[in-house]
Amino acid sequence: MNVEITGLTRRFGRTTAVAGVDLRAGPGVFGLLGPNGAGKTSLLRMMATAMPPTSGRLRLLGRDPGRYGQRRQIRRRLGYLPQNLGYYPGFTVAEFVEYFALLKEMPAARVQAAVRVAVERVELGGKAKARLRTLSGGMLRRVGIAQAIVNEPELLLLDEPTAGLDPEQRVAFRALLRDLGRRATVVVSTHLVEDVGAACAQVALMDRGKIVFHGTPADLAARGEGHGIGDAPLERGYSAVLTGVRS
Amino acid sequence: MNTTNAPAVSRQLPATRRPGRTAARLLRLELRHNAMLWMLPVAIALFWLTTYRKAMAMPPLWNLRATSMQSGTLLAFACPVAGAAAWTGSRETRRHTTEMVTVAARPRWARLLAAWAAATCWAMAGYLACLAVLYGVTAQQASWGGPLWWPAAVLAASLPAFSAAGFAAGTLLPSRFTAPLATVAAFFVVALSTQLIAGSQSYWQVSPLVTGPWDTGPDAGVATFYPYLPDLPIAQVMFLAGLTIALLAALALPRGSGGRGLRAAAAAVTTAGLLAAGTAVALAGTGKLDAHGMITIPALHDAASDRPVRFTPACSHTAIPVCLNPAYASYLPATVTAVAPALSEIAGLPGAPVRISQAAATYQQQAGNAVSVRLDGPPISGRPPVYHLLLPDQLLGPTMTTSELAAEVRSSAGPAIVASVIADRPGASQAQHAVTAGLIIAAGLPLQGLPPGTTPAADSRPGVRSQPPPEVAPGSPAYAAARRFAALAAPARHAWLMRHLTALRAGRITLRQLP
């Protein structure tokens, strides 16, 4: 299992963002759904080793991120796209991706090829030499995805990856997710249930810091039959689960 | 997104990583995008305005050019590099990339070091280019000596220190205002650090702006006859290097910057850096002005540096040769012309100097930051007698053009040479005063001048000449006798002096006995 989480809790003062989550995930695309404030981003940030948990046990890629040496090993094999992508406007697309490849301690000899491949995979090959300040929001999002996948990560964490992408790009991105999920554990945090349905083999639904549903997209859709609100089966399942939990 | 066209990169990692090569690539990226690159034209323009033009207006003496470069270039480069480094240090927060770079494997400290190094490299490259131009031009112009590397080393140590300080400020207090504030702060730190200097034993001498006794400015008399003393520069480099190391190592102290081992090592290095900087400050406080115009620090002093520099003087081919230190060779024709009228009046007289030789000045610390500069010993001494000359440029005050220097030598050294032959010093007889004044008038020199037998000090700057002694003020009997003596034909004056000079010098001639 690439992700093993037991009783993971994270508190910010009196607020509990993540409340005793248990989760296990192997290779494949894993969708993390939930309303705003459900704790998805906090959980993802802990999985990304950006933030330590308040309590609980977390093992990533068979290692303990609480130990510096092991955390560094995890980070070499990790890809992370945060919800709010920061970037350096003066860098070109290729330079920005190269910068992160170097920070991920990729061997220098492999960096150039890896950057080219990552940029091609997000269909920005023609913009490789464009400065980031000249790109649209959707293109920047794709640059963020390129930096996350440049090291061919074994654990890829994407927070709202399709925000700002046009429909065509979202379809292409889902195909990329499926491709990446063949070898790596890809955790996608999103509130767009159609992304989950199209790309994810497993899905977890979070509410108020807890996982209230864990199963396949088909299971989630089944939970919505005859219940819930929404245009699509997954949306109805999503709504039904949340309504059930809250009632 | 493309899932099929692009080949997947091989997942097999090579057996060995090359951290040096990766660091070099990271540095190359940082260099391409560092703010200091954009600040370089500003720094170079400041250098040209505040340092280069000023240095080129000075005589081509290595010591003058090097010390004026140290103080001027520091301000030109330290402020921009502090601002650029602060801008770079605050980048991750300003650009919201903190989380993305935090989850990368490379330790925070190593990442920050690359960004700092880029700012410092650009500043250093700009500084070295300016140094090369200034020293290159000086090498073409200077008649003797060679470049002084210690002032250059102090500057080279200053830039990483200011860069590290700016970078630390940007990292700790990241905002868009940090960079301009760091620039202004760097200026005030440099400028105000010298305001508290009081005398040569001040701890504040550790400021890289200080090149010697404070308030005297670049002094042509220093490091010409005696070697340049590296005592103070060593303390300054030690201070700056210690500060740089402490600031950079402190970046690795916060949690998450690295492993426990790295943080423990960083704490040790920070402590060592602070200790080195503190020791350097303490050493600077033990400094004192030596007789040759430089700051000696007993713990760092090498006695071998006190030996005078060997040189072959540049001499004129005149009846009484005028010999200058070869560094001042360009002044020789003007100096010979300036003293020629006085020398023609005394040539051949018993006790007249057989050579006019430039001597080293002796420096003494006075109250506060005042420094007196004088000739050590009588102006005329030895057998056969040699007149020891201090050129006005060896004294404190603004440096002079060749014509200004010639005028000053003519009006001060000329009368002083005459007075030394007549032994006209304070307490001399009225007749001695009158004969000296007569010879000065006959030589066409101004009667004003430094009182015979006295030497200039910090408070009697060259160009500020005293009035003639009251004994020969117009209307006095001595003045009338001087005019009579000057009115004699040159051979008559010379003949009278040949007969009576010994008695005159002994004070046995009265005014009435003068022709």
PDB file of all heavy atoms in Angstrom, chain A residues 45-68:
ATOM      1  N   ARG A  45      -2.629  17.792   2.363  1.00  0.00           N
ATOM      2  CA  ARG A  45      -1.383  18.459   2.781  1.00  0.00           C
ATOM      3  C   ARG A  45      -0.585  17.582   3.738  1.00  0.00           C
ATOM      4  O   ARG A  45       0.641  17.572   3.698  1.00  0.00           O
ATOM      5  CB  ARG A  45      -1.693  19.809   3.441  1.00  0.00           C
ATOM      6  CG  ARG A  45      -2.192  20.845   2.439  1.00  0.00           C
ATOM      7  CD  ARG A  45      -2.463  22.166   3.114  1.00  0.00           C
ATOM      8  NE  ARG A  45      -1.230  22.784   3.585  1.00  0.00           N
ATOM      9  CZ  ARG A  45      -1.162  23.655   4.582  1.00  0.00           C
ATOM     10  NH1 ARG A  45      -2.263  24.018   5.217  1.00  0.00           N
ATOM     11  NH2 ARG A  45      -0.013  24.172   4.937  1.00  0.00           N
ATOM     12  N   MET A  46      -1.289  16.840   4.580  1.00  0.00           N
ATOM     13  CA  MET A  46      -0.563  15.916   5.464  1.00  0.00           C
ATOM     14  C   MET A  46       0.055  14.789   4.649  1.00  0.00           C
ATOM     15  O   MET A  46       1.175  14.357   4.914  1.00  0.00           O
ATOM     16  CB  MET A  46      -1.516  15.365   6.524  1.00  0.00           C
ATOM     17  CG  MET A  46      -1.826  16.367   7.628  1.00  0.00           C
ATOM     18  SD  MET A  46      -2.733  15.668   8.994  1.00  0.00           S
ATOM     19  CE  MET A  46      -4.387  15.601   8.333  1.00  0.00           C
ATOM     20  N   MET A  47      -0.710  14.329   3.644  1.00  0.00           N
ATOM     21  CA  MET A  47      -0.166  13.265   2.794  1.00  0.00           C
ATOM     22  C   MET A  47       1.007  13.775   1.955  1.00  0.00           C
ATOM     23  O   MET A  47       1.883  13.005   1.567  1.00  0.00           O
ATOM     24  CB  MET A  47      -1.270  12.726   1.874  1.00  0.00           C
ATOM     25  CG  MET A  47      -2.327  11.936   2.624  1.00  0.00           C
ATOM     26  SD  MET A  47      -3.811  11.693   1.647  1.00  0.00           S
ATOM     27  CE  MET A  47      -3.260  10.521   0.459  1.00  0.00           C
ATOM     28  N   ALA A  48       0.997  15.075   1.696  1.00  0.00           N
ATOM     29  CA  ALA A  48       2.095  15.662   0.914  1.00  0.00           C
ATOM     30  C   ALA A  48       3.305  16.013   1.786  1.00  0.00           C
ATOM     31  O   ALA A  48       4.282  16.564   1.269  1.00  0.00           O
ATOM     32  CB  ALA A  48       1.600  16.917   0.202  1.00  0.00           C
ATOM     33  N   THR A  49       3.229  15.728   3.062  1.00  0.00           N
ATOM     34  CA  THR A  49       4.268  16.047   4.061  1.00  0.00           C
ATOM     35  C   THR A  49       4.478  17.546   4.207  1.00  0.00           C
ATOM     36  O   THR A  49       5.516  17.992   4.694  1.00  0.00           O
ATOM     37  CB  THR A  49       5.636  15.385   3.740  1.00  0.00           C
ATOM     38  OG1 THR A  49       6.219  16.045   2.608  1.00  0.00           O
ATOM     39  CG2 THR A  49       5.505  13.898   3.473  1.00  0.00           C
ATOM     40  N   ALA A  50       3.478  18.327   3.789  1.00  0.00           N
ATOM     41  CA  ALA A  50       3.585  19.773   3.952  1.00  0.00           C
ATOM     42  C   ALA A  50       3.214  20.183   5.366  1.00  0.00           C
ATOM     43  O   ALA A  50       3.567  21.285   5.817  1.00  0.00           O
ATOM     44  CB  ALA A  50       2.674  20.480   2.963  1.00  0.00           C
ATOM     45  N   MET A  51       2.536  19.310   6.060  1.00  0.00           N
ATOM     46  CA  MET A  51       2.005  19.654   7.383  1.00  0.00           C
ATOM     47  C   MET A  51       1.968  18.359   8.210  1.00  0.00           C
ATOM     48  O   MET A  51       1.497  17.328   7.716  1.00  0.00           O
ATOM     49  CB  MET A  51       0.587  20.197   7.168  1.00  0.00           C
ATOM     50  CG  MET A  51      -0.160  20.590   8.386  1.00  0.00           C
ATOM     51  SD  MET A  51      -1.708  21.402   7.898  1.00  0.00           S
ATOM     52  CE  MET A  51      -2.704  20.001   7.396  1.00  0.00           C
ATOM     53  N   PRO A  52       2.454  18.396   9.445  1.00  0.00           N
ATOM     54  CA  PRO A  52       2.434  17.169  10.245  1.00  0.00           C
ATOM     55  C   PRO A  52       1.047  16.962  10.868  1.00  0.00           C
ATOM     56  O   PRO A  52       0.346  17.934  11.168  1.00  0.00           O
ATOM     57  CB  PRO A  52       3.483  17.446  11.320  1.00  0.00           C
ATOM     58  CG  PRO A  52       3.504  18.921  11.460  1.00  0.00           C
ATOM     59  CD  PRO A  52       3.122  19.495  10.135  1.00  0.00           C
ATOM     60  N   PRO A  53       0.654  15.724  11.074  1.00  0.00           N
ATOM     61  CA  PRO A  53      -0.634  15.496  11.744  1.00  0.00           C
ATOM     62  C   PRO A  53      -0.534  15.808  13.227  1.00  0.00           C
ATOM     63  O   PRO A  53       0.560  15.768  13.801  1.00  0.00           O
ATOM     64  CB  PRO A  53      -0.891  14.003  11.510  1.00  0.00           C
ATOM     65  CG  PRO A  53       0.449  13.409  11.267  1.00  0.00           C
ATOM     66  CD  PRO A  53       1.323  14.477  10.693  1.00  0.00           C
ATOM     67  N   THR A  54      -1.688  16.127  13.817  1.00  0.00           N
ATOM     68  CA  THR A  54      -1.708  16.338  15.278  1.00  0.00           C
ATOM     69  C   THR A  54      -1.577  14.984  15.979  1.00  0.00           C
ATOM     70  O   THR A  54      -0.875  14.852  16.974  1.00  0.00           O
ATOM     71  CB  THR A  54      -3.014  17.046  15.691  1.00  0.00           C
ATOM     72  OG1 THR A  54      -3.160  18.211  14.890  1.00  0.00           O
ATOM     73  CG2 THR A  54      -2.999  17.425  17.162  1.00  0.00           C
ATOM     74  N   SER A  55      -2.259  13.999  15.444  1.00  0.00           N
ATOM     75  CA  SER A  55      -2.126  12.641  15.989  1.00  0.00           C
ATOM     76  C   SER A  55      -2.482  11.652  14.891  1.00  0.00           C
ATOM     77  O   SER A  55      -2.944  12.038  13.809  1.00  0.00           O
ATOM     78  CB  SER A  55      -3.040  12.469  17.203  1.00  0.00           C
ATOM     79  OG  SER A  55      -4.394  12.608  16.807  1.00  0.00           O
ATOM     80  N   GLY A  56      -2.246  10.390  15.178  1.00  0.00           N
ATOM     81  CA  GLY A  56      -2.544   9.357  14.194  1.00  0.00           C
ATOM     82  C   GLY A  56      -1.287   8.857  13.524  1.00  0.00           C
ATOM     83  O   GLY A  56      -0.177   9.365  13.775  1.00  0.00           O
ATOM     84  N   ARG A  57      -1.471   7.866  12.691  1.00  0.00           N
ATOM     85  CA  ARG A  57      -0.328   7.228  12.045  1.00  0.00           C
ATOM     86  C   ARG A  57      -0.444   7.401  10.535  1.00  0.00           C
ATOM     87  O   ARG A  57      -1.507   7.213   9.966  1.00  0.00           O
ATOM     88  CB  ARG A  57      -0.315   5.745  12.411  1.00  0.00           C
ATOM     89  CG  ARG A  57       0.876   4.975  11.923  1.00  0.00           C
ATOM     90  CD  ARG A  57       0.946   3.617  12.616  1.00  0.00           C
ATOM     91  NE  ARG A  57       1.973   2.799  12.000  1.00  0.00           N
ATOM     92  CZ  ARG A  57       1.761   1.984  10.968  1.00  0.00           C
ATOM     93  NH1 ARG A  57       0.557   1.881  10.456  1.00  0.00           N
ATOM     94  NH2 ARG A  57       2.747   1.271  10.454  1.00  0.00           N
ATOM     95  N   LEU A  58       0.662   7.767   9.950  1.00  0.00           N
ATOM     96  CA  LEU A  58       0.684   8.008   8.510  1.00  0.00           C
ATOM     97  C   LEU A  58       1.922   7.329   7.937  1.00  0.00           C
ATOM     98  O   LEU A  58       3.042   7.556   8.419  1.00  0.00           O
ATOM     99  CB  LEU A  58       0.744   9.523   8.250  1.00  0.00           C
ATOM    100  CG  LEU A  58       0.893  10.018   6.817  1.00  0.00           C
ATOM    101  CD1 LEU A  58      -0.310   9.641   5.967  1.00  0.00           C
ATOM    102  CD2 LEU A  58       1.056  11.538   6.801  1.00  0.00           C
ATOM    103  N   ARG A  59       1.716   6.466   6.972  1.00  0.00           N
ATOM    104  CA  ARG A  59       2.843   5.853   6.265  1.00  0.00           C
ATOM    105  C   ARG A  59       2.620   6.057   4.779  1.00  0.00           C
ATOM    106  O   ARG A  59       1.533   5.798   4.254  1.00  0.00           O
ATOM    107  CB  ARG A  59       2.963   4.369   6.595  1.00  0.00           C
ATOM    108  CG  ARG A  59       3.639   4.104   7.923  1.00  0.00           C
ATOM    109  CD  ARG A  59       3.885   2.628   8.134  1.00  0.00           C
ATOM    110  NE  ARG A  59       5.029   2.131   7.388  1.00  0.00           N
ATOM    111  CZ  ARG A  59       6.290   2.305   7.756  1.00  0.00           C
ATOM    112  NH1 ARG A  59       6.573   2.985   8.862  1.00  0.00           N
ATOM    113  NH2 ARG A  59       7.265   1.804   7.035  1.00  0.00           N
ATOM    114  N   LEU A  60       3.654   6.560   4.132  1.00  0.00           N
ATOM    115  CA  LEU A  60       3.563   6.835   2.697  1.00  0.00           C
ATOM    116  C   LEU A  60       4.675   6.072   1.996  1.00  0.00           C
ATOM    117  O   LEU A  60       5.843   6.144   2.428  1.00  0.00           O
ATOM    118  CB  LEU A  60       3.719   8.339   2.441  1.00  0.00           C
ATOM    119  CG  LEU A  60       2.691   9.237   3.143  1.00  0.00           C
ATOM    120  CD1 LEU A  60       3.123  10.705   3.058  1.00  0.00           C
ATOM    121  CD2 LEU A  60       1.319   9.082   2.532  1.00  0.00           C
ATOM    122  N   LEU A  61       4.330   5.363   0.966  1.00  0.00           N
ATOM    123  CA  LEU A  61       5.313   4.592   0.199  1.00  0.00           C
ATOM    124  C   LEU A  61       6.142   3.694   1.119  1.00  0.00           C
ATOM    125  O   LEU A  61       7.348   3.516   0.933  1.00  0.00           O
ATOM    126  CB  LEU A  61       6.234   5.523  -0.611  1.00  0.00           C
ATOM    127  CG  LEU A  61       5.515   6.486  -1.560  1.00  0.00           C
ATOM    128  CD1 LEU A  61       6.482   7.518  -2.122  1.00  0.00           C
ATOM    129  CD2 LEU A  61       4.829   5.727  -2.693  1.00  0.00           C
ATOM    130  N   GLY A  62       5.489   3.210   2.163  1.00  0.00           N
ATOM    131  CA  GLY A  62       6.140   2.299   3.103  1.00  0.00           C
ATOM    132  C   GLY A  62       7.080   2.976   4.072  1.00  0.00           C
ATOM    133  O   GLY A  62       7.880   2.317   4.745  1.00  0.00           O
ATOM    134  N   ARG A  63       6.996   4.292   4.144  1.00  0.00           N
ATOM    135  CA  ARG A  63       7.928   5.021   5.020  1.00  0.00           C
ATOM    136  C   ARG A  63       7.167   5.941   5.956  1.00  0.00           C
ATOM    137  O   ARG A  63       6.025   6.315   5.687  1.00  0.00           O
ATOM    138  CB  ARG A  63       8.914   5.834   4.176  1.00  0.00           C
ATOM    139  CG  ARG A  63       9.885   4.961   3.402  1.00  0.00           C
ATOM    140  CD  ARG A  63      10.640   5.778   2.365  1.00  0.00           C
ATOM    141  NE  ARG A  63      11.634   4.965   1.675  1.00  0.00           N
ATOM    142  CZ  ARG A  63      11.364   4.174   0.653  1.00  0.00           C
ATOM    143  NH1 ARG A  63      10.115   4.079   0.191  1.00  0.00           N
ATOM    144  NH2 ARG A  63      12.307   3.462   0.067  1.00  0.00           N
ATOM    145  N   ASP A  64       7.879   6.340   7.021  1.00  0.00           N
ATOM    146  CA  ASP A  64       7.284   7.214   8.035  1.00  0.00           C
ATOM    147  C   ASP A  64       7.689   8.666   7.747  1.00  0.00           C
ATOM    148  O   ASP A  64       8.866   9.018   7.905  1.00  0.00           O
ATOM    149  CB  ASP A  64       7.794   6.786   9.421  1.00  0.00           C
ATOM    150  CG  ASP A  64       7.265   7.701  10.518  1.00  0.00           C
ATOM    151  OD1 ASP A  64       6.410   8.568  10.217  1.00  0.00           O
ATOM    152  OD2 ASP A  64       7.704   7.536  11.678  1.00  0.00           O
ATOM    153  N   PRO A  65       6.760   9.506   7.348  1.00  0.00           N
ATOM    154  CA  PRO A  65       7.146  10.896   7.038  1.00  0.00           C
ATOM    155  C   PRO A  65       7.528  11.711   8.265  1.00  0.00           C
ATOM    156  O   PRO A  65       8.021  12.837   8.130  1.00  0.00           O
ATOM    157  CB  PRO A  65       5.889  11.468   6.375  1.00  0.00           C
ATOM    158  CG  PRO A  65       4.769  10.622   6.851  1.00  0.00           C
ATOM    159  CD  PRO A  65       5.336   9.259   7.102  1.00  0.00           C
ATOM    160  N   GLY A  66       7.314  11.170   9.437  1.00  0.00           N
ATOM    161  CA  GLY A  66       7.715  11.884  10.653  1.00  0.00           C
ATOM    162  C   GLY A  66       9.220  11.895  10.844  1.00  0.00           C
ATOM    163  O   GLY A  66       9.749  12.714  11.600  1.00  0.00           O
ATOM    164  N   ARG A  67       9.911  10.992  10.191  1.00  0.00           N
ATOM    165  CA  ARG A  67      11.372  10.944  10.304  1.00  0.00           C
ATOM    166  C   ARG A  67      11.985  11.667   9.107  1.00  0.00           C
ATOM    167  O   ARG A  67      11.574  11.415   7.965  1.00  0.00           O
ATOM    168  CB  ARG A  67      11.863   9.497  10.334  1.00  0.00           C
ATOM    169  CG  ARG A  67      11.396   8.749  11.563  1.00  0.00           C
ATOM    170  CD  ARG A  67      11.744   7.284  11.451  1.00  0.00           C
ATOM    171  NE  ARG A  67      11.299   6.549  12.625  1.00  0.00           N
ATOM    172  CZ  ARG A  67      12.008   6.429  13.746  1.00  0.00           C
ATOM    173  NH1 ARG A  67      13.207   6.978  13.824  1.00  0.00           N
ATOM    174  NH2 ARG A  67      11.521   5.761  14.760  1.00  0.00           N
ATOM    175  N   TYR A  68      12.950  12.516   9.389  1.00  0.00           N
ATOM    176  CA  TYR A  68      13.477  13.391   8.345  1.00  0.00           C
ATOM    177  C   TYR A  68      14.025  12.614   7.150  1.00  0.00           C
ATOM    178  O   TYR A  68      13.682  12.905   6.003  1.00  0.00           O
ATOM    179  CB  TYR A  68      14.568  14.305   8.917  1.00  0.00           C
ATOM    180  CG  TYR A  68      15.215  15.139   7.842  1.00  0.00           C
ATOM    181  CD1 TYR A  68      14.550  16.230   7.301  1.00  0.00           C
ATOM    182  CD2 TYR A  68      16.473  14.814   7.328  1.00  0.00           C
ATOM    183  CE1 TYR A  68      15.109  16.980   6.287  1.00  0.00           C
ATOM    184  CE2 TYR A  68      17.037  15.553   6.316  1.00  0.00           C
ATOM    185  CZ  TYR A  68      16.357  16.643   5.800  1.00  0.00           C
ATOM    186  OH  TYR A  68      16.921  17.379   4.795  1.00  0.00           O
TER     187      TYR A  68
END
